[in-house]
Amino acid sequence: MPVTAKLSRMFYERFGDELTNELVDWFNQVDATYRGELRELNELNFARFDAKLEQRAAELDAKLEQRTAELDAKIEQRTAQLDAKIEQRTAQLDAKLEQRIAEVKAELHAGLAMLEGRLLARIGVLEGGLIGRIGMVEGRLTRLTVLLWVTLVATLLGVLRLT
């Protein structure tokens, strides 16, 4: 702290140069000692602060690592749960799909069997109708053949009588 010029002059006038210089030297030595001790104290405090800061940084690093590991574990657990759910849902969908395919196959087989039955019935009706018509045609042909033979025989008999 600077000493004012008036105070300094008063010291020199009252106590003289030798005593005042001695006093100034002593104050300067005390000031230098205090400054050195203050510097050492500051360096010690800074070293402790730096050590605490390093320790806190290491603790923070450890906490961060721990939290990261916990988060990784949670993510792995959730992923496994999600995979299990997906597998379960896939199995359920597969079962439903298989069931629906079986139902569609059964409906298709039933429909085909019904269609086959209707087709066979229709073929039977057509076959019966065809056989009936063939029988009718055969009957007509037989009558015509008989009529032709009777006419032929009558004509032959008539020609034979005439001759």
Side-chain angles (χ1 to χ4, degrees):
M1 153 157 65
V3 178
T4 63
K6 187 176 182 182
L7 181 63
S8 178
R9 191 175 29 107
M10 284 175 61
F11 260 100
Y12 277 104
E13 286 174 2
R14 181 140 304 176
F15 298 111
D17 285 348
E18 191 178 320
L19 183 63
T20 304
N21 284 338
E22 191 69 32
L23 189 60
V24 167
D25 285 342
W26 181 76
F27 275 128
N28 284 338
Q29 286 175 0
V30 168
D31 184 49
T33 303
Y34 284 151
R35 281 182 190 226
E37 288 176 0
L38 184 61
R39 184 176 299 117
E40 288 176 15
L41 187 61
N42 278 342
E43 286 177 4
L44 284 172
N45 283 336
F46 182 75
R48 280 193 301 223
F49 172 76
D50 195 35
K52 282 185 180 179
L53 186 61
E54 286 294 323
Q55 178 187 358
R56 297 268 168 90
E59 289 172 359
L60 186 59
D61 234 9
K63 272 187 181 178
L64 189 60
E65 285 295 321
Q66 178 187 0
R67 294 274 169 92
T68 303
E70 289 171 359
L71 185 59
D72 284 347
K74 280 185 181 180
I75 289 173
E76 285 297 321
Q77 180 186 11
R78 298 289 172 135
T79 303
Q81 289 172 348
L82 187 58
D83 284 347
K85 279 185 180 180
I86 289 172
E87 286 296 322
Q88 180 185 10
R89 295 279 167 89
T90 302
Q92 288 173 349
L93 287 175
D94 283 347
K96 283 182 181 179
L97 185 61
E98 289 297 325
Q99 179 185 0
R100 186 64 184 132
I101 288 173
E103 289 172 0
V104 167
K105 279 183 177 178
E107 288 175 10
L108 187 60
H109 284 296
L112 286 174
M114 186 177 73
L115 185 61
E116 184 181 18
R118 286 176 48 197
L119 187 59
L120 287 175
R122 186 71 178 142
I123 288 173
V125 168
L126 289 174
E127 189 178 31
L130 189 59
I131 289 174
R133 282 193 174 176
I134 289 174
M136 239 175 38
V137 168
E138 281 179 344
R140 277 187 190 165
L141 281 175
T142 305
R143 279 182 294 197
L144 283 175
T145 305
V146 168
L147 182 64
L148 183 63
W149 280 106
V150 168
T151 308
L152 186 60
V153 169
T155 306
L156 277 175
L157 282 176
V159 167
L160 283 179
R161 272 192 201 167
L162 288 173
T163 45

